Amino acid sequence: MLDLSDKYYKSKVSLITLEGKDSLLYLQELTTNNITNLQPNFVKITLLLNESGGLIDVLYVFNYDNQENKIIIAYSHNEEKVVRYLENNINNKDIVISKMTENYYKVLLLSYNTYSICADLGLKIPVADKFTHNENCISFYDEINESVCILIPESKMTEFNSKAKKYIELNTNDFNYYRITRRIPQHPYEINESIKPESCNLDIYLNRKTINTNEEENDIILRNEMHCFSSYSELNPEDLIYNNDNNCGFISSVAIKDNIHYCLAFISPFDIKIKDKYYTKIKSEKNFLNFII
């Protein structure tokens, strides 16, 4: 197991603002979760889907006080596609969309000592679905990554780094091990327009109001499930997974820990049988995989 007692992970994130009295109604029409009841100083995760139900991005929506009529949205990738999709669907609503002029970082406090770290950084711990903000920094609990998270502008990162010296920044491989063993999806591997939300454990943020729910579309949505495997041999993203000599899925992302390869994989729920053996192929040789239950 990975020791997280003093660890954090940092990655870039995109932020935009929505201003106008119709902002919540507008997001309600375009995203999957129920946004209209989002109270001031609360955050909610919702999914932005394309017309076919493919996942464009996961949005973190922060509602500031009602007097400002201001919403901040954070997301991880597809900046041009997200902004273009939102702008193309305004439909004369009283809304202004603006990109944040400064770059931001998303810092996940994976440590069990979250309270201690936040105190050292002079930040308030968020409670439940509320978020706190101070000097352009936003702190909240990230349900997907199962940790307290801070959004920090690039101009504040030097200050953050100086205060966080006694804590250890997790490298990408170890972070992937953390999320893979917890079945946490991430772009560009599990979050993309070719994978349906239900396939990567995002269905708790899904309201079917924006999805075509006819029988044929539902069959497509439920075709794959995300599962975790390990192997002592090398694994690679996009490797095919076989079951009884038939291809039944593919590997999406990989991490290495103690010489064991861990991976998330999408396989057909109709092909999942715990008693069966799953494997990839290395030069036509079978590389057997073990389910992580």
Side-chain angles (χ1 to χ4, degrees):
M1 293 298 291
L2 186 65
D3 178 14
L4 299 175
S5 58
D6 54 1
K7 307 292 195 307
Y8 68 91
Y9 182 72
K10 179 180 68 182
S11 61
K12 288 186 177 180
V13 67
S14 298
L15 268 68
I16 57 176
T17 61
L18 269 60
E19 295 184 81
K21 60 183 178 61
D22 295 326
S23 294
L24 288 178
L25 177 62
Y26 163 69
L27 284 178
Q28 176 71 12
E29 294 174 355
L30 294 183
T31 65
T32 63
N33 221 333
N34 185 0
I35 297 295
T36 55
N37 63 356
L38 184 61
Q39 298 301 308
N41 299 316
F42 278 76
V43 58
K44 180 166 282 191
I45 298 172
T46 189
L47 309 181
L48 183 66
L49 308 184
N50 63 22
E51 293 82 356
S52 302
L55 184 56
I56 297 176
D57 212 328
V58 179
L59 307 184
Y60 293 77
V61 181
F62 303 87
N63 188 12
Y64 279 64
D65 64 73
N66 287 327
Q67 293 179 347
E68 292 185 38
N69 286 322
K70 178 181 176 183
I71 291 173
I72 288 182
I73 298 176
Y75 53 98
S76 299
H77 66 287
N78 283 337
E79 180 171 354
E80 291 185 7
K81 190 170 289 188
V82 169
V83 174
R84 183 170 64 249
Y85 192 89
L86 293 176
E87 289 177 340
N88 289 344
N89 288 278
I90 287 181
N91 297 328
N92 298 319
K93 289 186 172 62
D94 182 20
I95 296 169
V96 176
I97 301 175
S98 305
K99 293 183 183 180
M100 300 288 273
T101 56
E102 188 169 13
N103 295 324
Y104 268 74
Y105 284 87
K106 181 177 184 177
V107 178
L108 296 168
L109 303 180
L110 303 170
S111 168
Y112 301 119
N113 300 320
T114 301
Y115 284 88
S116 171
I117 294 178
C118 285
D120 290 344
L121 299 174
L123 294 167
K124 291 183 178 179
I125 282 281
V127 178
D129 295 332
K130 284 191 172 184
F131 67 92
T132 63
H133 56 97
N134 180 33
E135 296 182 350
N136 298 325
C137 296
I138 302 172
S139 60
F140 65 101
Y141 184 77
D142 184 340
E143 291 182 77
I144 293 178
N145 288 289
E146 302 173 354
S147 69
V148 170
C149 179
I150 312 169
L151 302 181
I152 305 175
E154 191 170 35
S155 60
K156 295 283 184 182
M157 284 306 298
T158 300
E159 180 182 349
F160 169 82
N161 291 334
S162 66
K163 290 181 176 179
K165 282 183 177 178
K166 67 180 181 179
Y167 304 107
I168 299 172
E169 182 177 355
L170 214 60
N171 63 44
T172 300
N173 178 75
D174 282 348
F175 175 70
N176 280 336
Y177 167 76
Y178 162 81
R179 69 174 190 80
I180 285 171
T181 54
R182 288 164 176 78
R183 285 90 161 160
I184 300 173
Q186 179 178 277
H187 171 78
Y189 310 109
E190 292 83 31
I191 296 178
N192 60 68
E193 290 182 83
S194 66
I195 300 295
K196 303 299 180 180
E198 293 95 334
S199 296
C200 52
N201 300 338
L202 292 172
D203 48 300
I204 62 171
Y205 309 110
L206 187 66
N207 181 314
R208 293 182 181 274
K209 66 181 186 320
T210 61
I211 291 184
N212 179 359
T213 56
N214 63 49
E215 185 175 343
E216 180 182 356
E217 181 68 17
N218 276 338
D219 180 62
I220 295 172
I221 287 173
L222 299 175
R223 182 175 297 161
N224 293 309
E225 292 182 358
M226 188 171 70
H227 293 271
C228 196
F229 292 89
S230 70
S231 172
Y232 285 101
S233 299
E234 184 176 0
L235 300 172
N236 296 291
E238 300 183 6
D239 279 351
L240 296 181
I241 291 181
Y242 299 87
N243 177 20
N244 297 327
D245 294 322
N246 295 315
N247 167 231
C248 64
F250 66 94
I251 292 173
S252 58
S253 55
V254 178
I256 304 171
K257 183 68 175 174
D258 299 328
N259 295 319
I260 299 176
H261 288 71
Y262 295 85
C263 74
L264 284 179
F266 288 94
I267 59 178
S268 167
F270 303 107
D271 290 324
I272 299 173
K273 298 179 180 65
I274 301 300
K275 63 185 173 93
D276 287 352
K277 292 183 178 180
Y278 297 88
Y279 56 91
T280 59
K281 290 183 179 179
I282 302 177
K283 296 180 179 179
S284 299
E285 297 293 327
K286 291 184 178 181
N287 169 29
F288 286 102
L289 307 177
N290 295 315
F291 254 121
I292 299 177
I293 306 299

